[in-house]
Amino acid sequence: MLLFRRLDSAHTHRNLIGQHPLILRIQALIKKVAATDATVLISGESGTGKELVARQIHSLSPRAAGPFIALNCGAIPAELLESELFGHERGAFTGAVGTRHGMFQVASGGTIFLDEVAEMSPPLQVKLLRVLQEREFRPVGSDRSMKTDVRVIAASNKELFDEVSKGRFREDLFYRLQVIPIRVPPLRDRRSDVPLLIDHFLEKMNARRPQGPVRVNDEARVQLWEYDWPGNVRELENVIEQLVVLADGDTIEAENLPPSIRRFVAGKHNPTPALSDEGFDFNRAVEAFENQLIVEALRRSGGNKQAAARLLGLKRTTLVAKLRRRRGGNGVEELTP
Ligand SMILES: Nc1ncnc2c1ncn2[C@@H]1O[C@H](COP(=O)(O)OP(=O)(O)O)[C@@H](O)[C@H]1O
Ligand SMILES: [Mg+2]
C-alpha cells in the first residue's frame, strides 16, 4: 500500500489565479524561493491553495524533473507514518515482510510536501528535525543511516506557532520548517479575486460540457462575491462545478445558487427581526442592525475606519463614537485594528 501521491502531470501547469496584492506577493515569493532549496512552511485555512503553492514551487524549481511527493500527516496513523516517511527493513515490525523505501528515498532529487504537519507525533517530529539538519535518516529497523537529497515543503491549517506555545509542536522543528513562511489568505480577505476565479473555473468546467458553455449573470456574481466562502477556493471550485453540471439553460442566475449561499447573502442584507408574543426590545434590535452594518463595513475596508465610515455614509468621528459605545459588546472591537 502506497499512501503518498506522486505529482501527476495534470497538476504541473495549473496556475495560481489571482490579482489581489496578497496573491501577487505570494506569486513573487514562489518565484524567488523556487530557485533555492530552502524549507518552506505554508499556512492558511483549508482550501486556500496551500498544496497548489507547494506544487508551483516544485514546478518552477531546478527539481521540477524530479518527483513531487505529497503526504498528509493527519491522515495516516503514527506507526505507519514513520515507515511511510523513512521506509523499513524486512521484519522491522509485524507485517513488514519486505524491505520498503520511504518517501525520503523515493523523493530524492525532488520535493516532499508534508501536509498537516502539526499532526505529526512528538517522536516523529524529532526524526524529521534530524533529516532537516543532517539530510540523513534511518529506515525503521535499520542500523544504517541513509543520505537524502530532498526539498521539504510543509503546510498547516493550524497556526503552528500556537501549537508550539501549547507544547504540542517542537519549537526547534518549527524554526527549521519556517525558514520561508508563506501565508495564504482566506478567500473572504481577497474578494476581488472571486470574479477571476469564477471565470477560471467556469472555463474549465465549460470545456467539458457537451451542450455548450454556460455563463453566470451579474446578480449571481454579486451574491458569489458577497458570500464568505468558509471552504475557500475549494468550495468555490465545487460550487461552480455543481452549477455547470446542473445548469438547464445557458445562464446561471442567482436563483440557481446553492440555498446555503442564498441564505447567507440574504441574512447579510435584511436581518429580519420577528415580533414575538413576549414583545420586542426595539433598542436592542436597532443596535444589532447598526452593529451588523458596522462590522460589515469594517470588514470590507480591511479595518480602516475612514473607509468604513465612507461606506456607511457617516463621519469618521461618528463611527468612532459608535465603536466606543460598543466597546466590550459584540465583536466589533475584534475587527478594529
Ligand atoms: N489561486 C488559485 N487559483 C486556482 N486554483 C486554486 C487556487 N487556490 C486553490 N485552487 C484550487 O482549489 C483547490 C484547493 O486547493 P488546495 O491547494 O488543495 O488547498 P489547501 O491545500 O490549502 O487545502 C484545488 O483544486 C486548487 O487547484
Ligand atoms: Mg490541502
Side-chain angles (χ1 to χ4, degrees), residues 50-51 115 234:
K50 296 185 296 298
E51 182 161 346
D115 204 356
R234 180 178 292 117

Side-chain angles (χ1 to χ4, degrees), residues 197-244:
L197 287 161
I198 293 174
D199 289 334
H200 171 71
F201 294 126
L202 208 52
E203 195 179 317
K204 183 172 139 196
M205 306 307 169
N206 272 334
R208 308 184 199 148
R209 191 170 191 268
Q211 310 95 300
V214 288
R215 53 182 282 274
V216 177
N217 78 4
D218 287 348
E219 200 198 335
R221 278 174 187 270
V222 169
Q223 298 207 1
L224 292 173
W225 188 83
E226 294 210 50
Y227 182 55
D228 251 15
W229 301 109
N232 295 297
V233 183
R234 180 178 292 117
E235 184 183 9
L236 176 60
E237 183 172 13
N238 292 340
V239 165
I240 299 296
E241 174 165 21
Q242 185 195 336
L243 289 171
V244 171

Side-chain angles (χ1 to χ4, degrees), residues 3-283:
L3 291 168
F4 47 78
R5 293 168 286 131
R6 262 173 190 278
L7 173 65
D8 53 88
S9 56
H11 280 114
T12 48
H13 61 268
R14 277 210 206 164
N15 283 326
L16 193 70
I17 305 292
Q19 291 291 326
H20 190 280
L22 289 170
I23 292 297
L24 297 181
R25 248 192 53 207
I26 291 175
Q27 286 165 343
L29 205 52
I30 289 174
K31 286 209 188 82
K32 223 184 253 178
V33 300
T36 74
D37 266 345
T39 305
V40 179
L41 178 64
I42 308 171
S43 57
E45 289 176 14
S46 182
T48 48
K50 296 185 296 298
E51 182 161 346
L52 190 56
V53 168
R55 290 179 185 279
Q56 293 255 304
I57 293 172
H58 172 75
S59 307
L60 295 173
S61 79
R63 297 173 173 273
F68 175 95
I69 291 184
L71 187 110
N72 186 333
C73 305
I76 300 170
E79 323 82 65
L80 252 177
L81 187 56
E82 180 171 2
S83 105
E84 284 296 317
L85 286 168
F86 307 119
H88 60 73
E89 292 285 306
R90 189 172 148 198
F93 48 84
T94 327
V97 282
T99 300
R100 161 75 201 275
H101 296 324
M103 67 188 274
F104 271 99
Q105 201 173 346
V106 179
S108 200
T111 306
I112 278 181
F113 176 56
L114 298 173
D115 204 356
E116 292 187 38
V117 73
E119 307 306 320
M120 205 176 253
S121 71
L124 265 187
Q125 290 177 27
V126 178
K127 292 185 176 157
L128 177 60
L129 180 65
R130 176 156 181 257
V131 191
L132 293 175
Q133 278 169 344
E134 329 262 337
R135 299 284 149 185
E136 57 176 48
F137 66 95
R138 194 178 299 201
V140 183
S142 167
D143 47 17
R144 277 181 314 120
S145 286
M146 303 178 91
K147 286 267 168 219
T148 176
D149 166 35
V150 290
R151 199 274 170 80
V152 175
I153 302 178
S156 175
N157 50 19
K158 286 185 186 160
E159 202 53 65
L160 207 50
F161 192 74
D162 290 348
E163 299 299 297
V164 172
S165 331
K166 289 178 192 146
R168 289 200 284 252
F169 201 82
R170 292 183 67 97
E171 191 173 8
D172 44 10
L173 178 57
F174 170 72
Y175 287 111
R176 276 280 166 186
L177 288 175
Q178 77 137 19
V179 177
I180 309 287
I182 298 184
R183 201 168 268 283
V184 190
L187 186 53
R188 64 185 166 280
D189 288 351
R190 52 178 184 106
R191 273 171 217 269
S192 53
D193 282 344
V194 169
L196 293 178
L197 287 161
I198 293 174
D199 289 334
H200 171 71
F201 294 126
L202 208 52
E203 195 179 317
K204 183 172 139 196
M205 306 307 169
N206 272 334
R208 308 184 199 148
R209 191 170 191 268
Q211 310 95 300
V214 288
R215 53 182 282 274
V216 177
N217 78 4
D218 287 348
E219 200 198 335
R221 278 174 187 270
V222 169
Q223 298 207 1
L224 292 173
W225 188 83
E226 294 210 50
Y227 182 55
D228 251 15
W229 301 109
N232 295 297
V233 183
R234 180 178 292 117
E235 184 183 9
L236 176 60
E237 183 172 13
N238 292 340
V239 165
I240 299 296
E241 174 165 21
Q242 185 195 336
L243 289 171
V244 171
V245 168
L246 298 180
D248 286 323
D250 61 1
T251 305
I252 291 160
E253 293 170 11
E255 297 79 70
N256 304 127
L257 300 181
S260 54
I261 295 184
R262 309 265 298 146
R263 266 198 305 276
F264 179 91
V265 175
K268 262 168 92 166
H269 289 298
N270 40 13
T272 39
L275 197 54
S276 74
D277 289 343
E278 294 88 59
F280 188 76
D281 186 337
F282 181 82
N283 289 328

